[in-house]
Amino acid sequence: MRYGERTALDGLSLAVARHTITAVLGPNGAGKTTLLETCEGYRRPQAGSVRVLGLDPVRERQALLPRIGVMLQGGQAWSGVRAMEMLRHVASLHAHPLDVDELGDRLGLGDCGRTPYRRLSGGQQQRLGLAMALVGRPELVFVDEPTAGLDPAIRRTTWELLEQLRTDGATVVLTTHYMEEAERLADHVHVIDHGRLLASGSPLELTRGGSVSTIRVVVTRPFPPGAPESLRAALGDGTEVTLLDELSLVVTGPADASTLARVSRWCEHNDVVPESLSLGRRTLEDVFLTLTGRELVP
Amino acid sequence: MTLDLSPRPAAAPLPRQVLAHAGMEARLMLRNGEQLLIAVVIPVIVLVGGVRGADRLGLDYDHPVVDVFVPGVLALAVMSTAFTSLAIATGFERRYGVIKWLGASPLPRTGLLAGKVGALVLVETLQVVVVVGVGLALGWDPAGGWAGALLAVVLGTAAFSSLGLLVAGVLRAEATLAVANLVYLLLLAGGAVVLPASAYGGFGDLVRWLPSGALGEAMRDALVDGTVGWTHLLVLAGWAVVGAALTARTFRWE
């Protein structure tokens, strides 16, 4: 999938199982939105194939669209339309829509039901967007960054709703750059960057990785040049050292107490004064860092 | 937790979708103050002002001024809705992602277009009721020719709406707003909509070929003389074909 010279999706191949929540995780510009929009039939891939519910999303679009629910990033309603009026309109395009008032209440849209779209807060616009994706009772839902910028309470409400969708028999594909969202919600996580699939698996599979864990080193003065390479050499094969910034790095690998001791010795020899040395289980964030060499949320 | 989210997907029957969409777009159009201004207020002001101030404006025709003005103001009303309102509304629909989102809804593109046409018909009906009402109050005495007038409204709507979509589908929303209003003002003043083409002297032979002149003349042929102005109707059909072909080639949904 290319836009002019830029390649947005590159040889990316993945499958989504029914009745699951799948998270596509990646930093901004990784190709998450392009991936979703290709599944939604907005873009025709230059190479490769896409099947959604067994249908070609471009050629068989009219058969596919009533069966899926879509929440786009950014707005998707007229500036002058009232929140609940918009939801009611979308419901009228479907044969068996959800009860609009109940759905609105569930997403806390009751208070702003008569407010024009342009005066809704960003969070309210996002919740309306999610409601618009769900009101037609789709069997497959594509939600692009459903909770970006939402406050924690509303984020939890949204998560519960997405979990209930799975329980009730729908399939959810969401993009996110929030680790905790992927860890909490997803049955499967696909990590992508630069349009390539870097890793796939359940959150547990991705974070467990055998006996792999992490050691985080935070120092008071910047590391000397070449520190990651020298530390890696001191620790031996099977470990990865990633510099997070000039004052912290993370060691990934079969890290245990003896590794911790070796890190400490390396610090002493290299005149590095650690402020903290901590041993921890690998998080998705660490996985992501190791895979891409960059932080998820810049 | 009473909400049952189990899947039960299906599109509503297409006619129901189109009706719902037409109603929605018409409501939004009438709710918008500026659109209401050019749809109803300006045509009424032009009609009343033209008839009451005919002497001072030096307007002098073979027929009473109100008989000449009502067909022209009806043409103006069609132009304002089918061209200016439609272009501005569609431009901002593109900008706010509405059209893009509707592209992923069960409403097919033909249904979206049909809904827009339905909204135009609803708003134009309202405009005709208001303009005809004010015209009758001012003593308008139509010459019949309703079939010709209806044909002119239909073809005029087709011509202007295809041109409105052309502008909205290519330019950014702000540029569409500016162009749609500017073209409206220019055609109102110099496009032989309200005033007959004959009022423009030699220039009148040119403006007859504009969609504004063709619509205005066709309306006057029908309602002033009771005849069908086939040449003008053909000109409108030509503009509709050209506008639709160009729109189909250039319209960008995002």
Side-chain angles (χ1 to χ4, degrees):
Chain A
M1 189 71 219
R2 283 186 304 275
Y3 297 122
E5 293 285 295
R6 211 166 69 79
T7 301
L9 294 181
D10 185 3
L12 188 142
S13 176
L14 55 85
V16 168
R18 287 198 189 214
H19 316 307
T20 60
I21 297 180
T22 298
V24 178
L25 192 66
N28 292 331
K32 303 188 297 286
T33 298
T34 306
L35 175 63
L36 281 206
E37 294 192 346
T38 309
C39 296
E40 291 154 3
Y42 283 115
R43 334 196 163 277
R44 190 191 302 270
Q46 283 92 350
S49 71
V50 187
R51 285 294 174 278
V52 179
L53 302 172
L55 299 169
D56 182 319
V58 177
R59 280 192 301 113
E60 295 164 297
R61 199 139 194 251
Q62 281 316 318
L64 176 65
L65 291 181
R67 297 171 64 187
I68 67 173
V70 171
M71 175 188 173
L72 300 172
Q73 232 186 111
Q76 52 188 40
W78 290 282
S79 68
V81 74
R82 298 186 180 111
M84 289 304 282
E85 181 184 32
M86 185 72 208
L87 191 54
R88 225 162 250 123
H89 177 52
V90 177
S92 72
L93 303 177
H94 294 270
H96 317 289
L98 294 174
D99 185 291
V100 169
D101 294 313
E102 257 181 74
L103 180 61
D105 280 349
R106 184 73 184 275
L107 280 167
L109 290 170
D111 302 336
C112 58
R114 295 190 53 78
T115 310
Y117 188 74
R118 64 171 172 277
R119 293 217 199 93
L120 296 176
S121 71
Q124 289 167 332
Q125 292 186 351
Q126 243 164 319
R127 279 177 277 155
L128 177 60
L130 181 63
M132 287 165 66
L134 302 187
V135 73
R137 300 182 71 169
E139 51 189 294
L140 172 60
V141 183
F142 291 106
V143 278
D144 202 354
E145 308 247 348
T147 64
L150 291 187
D151 67 56
I154 296 165
R155 180 173 296 167
R156 244 189 318 280
T157 310
T158 307
W159 286 348
E160 281 162 14
L161 198 62
L162 292 173
E163 281 169 338
Q164 198 202 324
L165 268 174
R166 172 180 54 191
T167 314
D168 287 352
T171 307
V172 179
V173 178
L174 63 94
T175 67
T176 184
H177 55 244
Y178 292 124
M179 282 303 164
E180 71 271 27
E181 184 157 282
E183 277 186 341
R184 147 106 195 236
L185 278 183
D187 303 293
H188 293 282
V189 177
H190 299 285
V191 183
I192 72 172
D193 195 17
H194 301 298
R196 288 202 183 85
L197 184 63
L198 300 178
S200 292
S202 70
L204 207 61
E205 284 164 355
L206 285 176
T207 50
R208 195 172 40 205
S211 60
V212 171
S213 50
T214 61
I215 296 171
R216 239 169 225 275
V217 185
V218 181
V219 294
T220 46
R221 274 179 290 128
F223 288 106
E229 293 75 19
S230 122
L231 177 56
R232 207 194 148 277
L235 294 173
D237 284 346
T239 52
E240 297 253 5
V241 179
T242 314
L243 202 58
L244 299 181
D245 54 54
E246 56 180 10
L247 293 177
S248 61
L249 57 74
V250 63
V251 178
T252 323
D256 49 24
S258 78
T259 322
L260 198 59
R262 261 179 283 164
V263 172
S264 163
R265 219 171 308 137
W266 174 85
C267 289
E268 202 183 320
H269 287 167
N270 290 276
D271 201 19
V272 168
V273 184
E275 190 179 69
S276 83
L277 274 180
S278 55
L279 189 64
R281 197 177 69 86
R282 207 152 81 125
T283 64
L284 268 182
E285 188 128 26
D286 300 320
V287 175
F288 189 83
L289 258 166
T290 323
L291 288 169
T292 65
R294 52 179 174 144
E295 301 243 23
L296 200 56
V297 185
Chain B
M1 280 294 185
T2 53
L3 202 60
D4 174 16
L5 297 175
S6 60
R8 206 182 163 199
L14 186 60
R16 218 177 79 200
Q17 291 190 49
V18 170
L19 276 183
H21 197 74
M24 183 82 237
E25 289 217 5
R27 272 204 305 284
L28 289 168
M29 230 181 245
L30 294 174
R31 191 179 297 165
N32 185 321
E34 297 131 59
Q35 306 233 32
L36 205 58
L37 184 74
I38 63 161
V40 178
V41 178
I42 291 180
V44 168
I45 289 175
V46 169
L47 179 57
V48 175
V51 174
R52 290 268 181 245
D55 296 340
R56 244 172 295 164
L57 293 169
L59 300 175
D60 185 20
Y61 306 110
D62 303 338
H63 300 272
V65 176
V66 67
D67 290 359
V68 179
F69 257 59
V70 171
V73 169
L74 286 173
L76 176 69
V78 168
M79 185 173 94
S80 72
T81 299
F83 179 73
T84 309
S85 292
L86 178 70
I88 293 171
T90 308
F92 280 97
E93 278 174 2
R94 276 182 63 222
R95 150 74 90 74
Y96 291 127
V98 185
I99 287 211
K100 180 174 178 182
W101 189 84
L102 286 171
S105 80
L107 183 70
R109 280 176 184 178
T110 46
L112 177 65
L113 277 180
K116 284 189 175 294
V117 171
L120 293 182
V121 170
L122 283 170
V123 175
E124 285 178 355
T125 305
L126 177 82
Q127 291 176 295
V128 168
V129 168
V130 171
V131 171
V132 165
V134 173
L136 290 174
L138 292 170
W140 178 43
D141 179 21
W146 300 109
L150 184 64
L151 213 53
V153 168
V154 169
L155 287 173
T157 301
F160 275 114
S161 58
S162 70
L163 295 170
L165 289 178
L166 177 65
V167 173
V170 180
L171 300 180
R172 283 183 310 113
E174 290 79 5
T176 299
L177 181 74
V179 168
N181 280 320
L182 184 66
V183 169
Y184 172 82
L185 283 177
L186 288 176
L187 291 181
L188 168 60
V193 189
V194 178
L195 298 178
S198 56
Y200 294 86
F203 190 57
D205 291 332
L206 191 69
V207 292
R208 259 182 248 280
W209 297 94
L210 292 177
S212 56
L215 177 58
E217 293 299 294
M219 292 296 284
R220 280 181 287 274
D221 281 357
L223 298 173
V224 179
D225 305 321
T227 60
V228 178
W230 291 110
T231 317
H232 305 305
L233 294 178
L234 266 178
V235 171
L236 287 176
W239 278 103
V241 169
V242 171
L246 286 176
T247 303
R249 279 168 158 265
T250 57
F251 195 91
R252 290 195 307 266
W253 296 86
E254 290 173 40

